[in-house]
Amino acid sequence: MTELFEANYSMIELARNLDEKYRVFVLPNTDEIHFPHIWENYPELHFLENRLMISYELGAVKPFPEIYKVACNKFDIKPAESIFIDDKKENI
């Protein structure tokens, strides 16, 4: 069976490195059907377990501005004091 998802290991490594000094969060565009599969099959993401901002839970998707506002409110993130990194240019 062909895997629908593929881990972006360079982004995971960047998140791990940044997480040593900064608050790091994950904001994936995914749904309630696919996310459990991702979580089960990519345990290398589990270090961010309490810092997930999953699009279907937030009721919006990237790159629409609403998702960033909701995500910031959820974790009390101040945009002026933050940096957003994404593996897709259209989300930035």
Side-chain angles (χ1 to χ4, degrees), residues 33-52:
I33 295 170
H34 292 111
F35 187 74
H37 171 81
I38 294 167
W39 196 250
E40 181 180 322
N41 289 284
Y42 299 100
E44 54 270 26
L45 298 171
H46 291 185
F47 75 101
L48 294 164
E49 182 173 11
N50 296 320
R51 292 167 286 160
L52 295 171

Side-chain angles (χ1 to χ4, degrees), residues 3 10-11 15-16 29 35-36 40 46 49 51 59 69 75:
E3 181 64 36
S10 62
M11 291 297 281
R16 278 194 179 281
N29 273 347
F35 187 74
E40 181 180 322
H46 291 185
E49 182 173 11
R51 292 167 286 160
K69 293 174 189 172
F75 286 100

Side-chain angles (χ1 to χ4, degrees), residues 17-81:
N17 289 336
L18 290 172
D19 194 48
E20 293 175 8
K21 191 171 182 180
Y22 304 99
R23 292 176 36 191
V24 175
F25 300 89
V26 175
L27 180 57
N29 273 347
T30 190
D31 58 39
E32 62 273 4
I33 295 170
H34 292 111
F35 187 74
H37 171 81
I38 294 167
W39 196 250
E40 181 180 322
N41 289 284
Y42 299 100
E44 54 270 26
L45 298 171
H46 291 185
F47 75 101
L48 294 164
E49 182 173 11
N50 296 320
R51 292 167 286 160
L52 295 171
M53 302 180 287
I54 307 167
S55 60
Y56 74 88
E57 291 178 343
L58 299 178
V61 295
K62 299 179 288 188
F64 294 103
E66 187 62 24
I67 194 168
Y68 305 107
K69 293 174 189 172
V70 173
C72 286
N73 287 336
K74 180 176 179 176
F75 286 100
D76 194 29
I77 297 169
K78 295 173 181 59
E81 298 174 4

